[in-house]
Amino acid sequence: MRVLGIETSCDETAAAIVESDIGADGYVQLPGRLVSQRLLSQVDAHALYQGVVPEIAARNHLAHLDRLIAGAMADAECGWDDLDAIAATGGPGLIGGVIVGVTMAKTIAMTHQKPFIAVNHLEGHALTARLTDGVAFPFLLLLVSGGHCQLLSVTGVGSYELLGTTRDDAVGEAFDKSAKLMGLGYPGGPAIEKLAQEGDETAYDLPRPMRHRPNCDFSFAGLKTAVRQVIESWPDGEQARQRYADLAASFQAAVAEVLIDRAQRAMTGFVERHGTGHGFVVAGGVAANQYLNSRLRGLADERGFTFHAPPLALCTDNAAMIAWAGLERAAAGLEDPLDFKPRPRWPLDELTAA
Ligand code: KG4
Ligand code: ZN
């Protein structure tokens, strides 16, 4: 089975083709194969505004998407007849961009008589570890991106149980806002990670919001405020680079400890229901952070989970994850009608299950 995927929900314009064999039992064989992908990052177009400007993003998607799809098709030496379905991010995301991708996918699907699949962007992040590492259901998922911070139990395609979520900022948002306070560019996550390598993570005693609370929820707004207070406490003219590096490292360590504490609670409940030996998957843009990953890998080892984080290029937004989730849904017979309406908000636990 071969599927074309399109991603346009934020500031990356991307097209990719993935494939997988289907076993005699009708199930998708894991892992899958990424055949080709083309991605245009719009980071430079938005950097001036220190954040994504929805209208600029939508116009850029419209200007470049057809060329990127043609490129991915050419790289895969693939014709329309070789595809089994056309998938696009149907939400959640910036509505202008989602409309561009969905309209493109529907048009290709209608013209070439192929099934159309509207993929939930978060399901794309969630299932990537099945494409790359062949992670079996059920698994525990920590989804950490610019818009989300959630712990989910994943028991099948479209089958998600929300265990905990953020009460205010998403973790990527906390990185981006703190980076802005530190005078670093956008996106803030990679900038903080880089600067933190030169810093002392014990330099500043930042709060660990929600730690030891009897649920799996997160909160990051207080951490960002604490970062601001530290910066404001510095005497004028003494904002030396080393101070920022120490603050970046202290911030990252605080985030790690919160994620570990919350994931630990989720693991206890997950093991009670499903036993040990399952996967612990970290996905979403923040999963590109190697420091956080090494801390979370340690937790997984301790608790009897196998650890999986997608390779860097598949952590941040991309079309391979959309193509793959589309393939898993198509294989399960979950296609969408051509009058599907793009959904700016679309929680994972509202998906149709296989
Ligand atoms: O998944 P993604 O590409 O877009 C969303 O769906 O949100 O995630 C983008 C987020 C941004 O907030 C960015 O700062 C964060 O992921 N991010 C990182 C790193 N790379 C990207 N955060 C921490 N460390 C990183 N290395
Ligand atoms: Zn994303």
Side-chain angles (χ1 to χ4, degrees):
M1 196 165 201
R2 269 190 165 196
V3 174
L4 167 69
I6 295 170
E7 160 61 31
T8 56
S9 69
C10 193
D11 60 347
E12 325 274 6
T13 318
I17 293 164
V18 299
E19 63 178 24
S20 150
D21 300 321
I22 305 294
D25 52 7
Y27 287 108
V28 171
Q29 306 268 291
L30 299 177
R33 291 184 292 276
L34 172 55
V35 184
S36 68
Q37 67 167 332
R38 291 282 182 115
L39 182 141
L40 179 77
S41 172
Q42 301 181 12
V43 164
D44 293 344
H46 302 279
L48 182 64
Y49 309 96
Q50 300 207 355
V52 179
V53 183
E55 274 306 315
I56 294 177
R59 280 165 213 236
N60 278 329
H61 292 311
L62 197 55
H64 298 290
L65 184 57
D66 54 355
R67 180 174 54 83
L68 295 167
I69 293 173
M73 294 287 286
D75 292 349
E77 295 175 10
C78 182
W80 301 116
D81 285 347
D82 303 318
L83 295 175
D84 297 287
I86 317 295
T89 299
L94 302 173
I95 190 66
V98 177
I99 289 172
V100 172
V102 162
T103 308
M104 179 69 87
K106 283 179 179 174
T107 309
I108 298 171
M110 189 163 54
T111 312
H112 299 284
Q113 311 268 304
K114 304 287 177 188
F116 161 70
I117 320 280
V119 171
N120 180 300
H121 180 87
L122 305 175
E123 180 161 58
H125 280 302
L127 300 182
T128 303
R130 288 171 56 77
L131 163 68
T132 57
D133 297 17
V135 178
F137 297 126
F139 60 86
L140 180 66
L141 172 67
L142 175 63
L143 184 59
V144 279
S145 73
H148 298 270
C149 186
Q150 302 185 334
L151 276 158
L152 296 135
S153 164
V154 185
T155 48
V157 174
S159 184
Y160 298 85
E161 188 194 345
L162 184 64
L163 305 174
T165 187
T166 182
R167 298 186 173 183
D168 40 59
D169 293 349
V171 60
E173 200 178 352
F175 268 94
D176 293 337
K177 289 178 174 171
S178 299
K180 205 168 174 174
L181 291 168
M182 294 182 212
L184 302 170
Y186 176 87
I192 290 190
E193 181 176 17
K194 190 152 175 274
L195 187 58
Q197 284 167 0
E198 301 165 30
D200 169 10
E201 67 177 54
T202 63
Y204 295 99
D205 187 19
L206 300 175
R208 271 73 170 142
M210 304 300 283
R211 200 162 55 158
H212 306 319
R213 291 284 180 90
N215 54 41
C216 301
D217 283 349
F218 303 86
S219 163
F220 291 102
L223 189 51
K224 171 195 66 197
T225 306
V227 166
R228 189 175 57 234
Q229 284 165 347
V230 168
I231 294 172
E232 284 170 359
S233 75
W234 291 338
D236 277 350
E238 283 193 29
Q239 286 92 334
R241 183 182 170 84
Q242 191 57 45
R243 284 182 190 265
Y244 282 108
D246 289 346
L247 184 56
S250 303
F251 167 83
Q252 208 173 231
V255 170
E257 277 176 36
V258 171
L259 295 179
I260 287 171
D261 178 75
R262 310 286 68 206
Q264 211 164 359
R265 288 198 67 85
M267 283 176 171
T268 304
F270 187 94
V271 168
E272 275 168 18
R273 279 174 74 172
H274 302 290
T276 53
H278 296 290
F280 174 52
V281 174
V282 184
V286 181
N289 187 298
Q290 297 304 306
Y291 170 84
L292 293 179
N293 276 355
S294 73
R295 300 281 309 262
L296 290 164
R297 180 186 292 277
L299 172 69
D301 290 348
E302 228 171 73
R303 293 299 183 106
F305 283 77
T306 56
F307 180 81
H308 307 272
L312 259 131
L314 298 183
C315 287
T316 47
D317 290 348
N318 64 86
M321 68 183 202
I322 303 305
W324 178 256
L327 184 147
E328 291 228 47
R329 293 187 82 76
L334 294 169
E335 36 183 288
D336 291 280
L338 288 175
D339 65 355
F340 168 86
K341 288 185 188 54
R343 297 186 60 172
R345 292 184 181 279
W346 190 4
L348 261 185
D349 47 1
E350 284 180 18
L351 285 188
T352 328

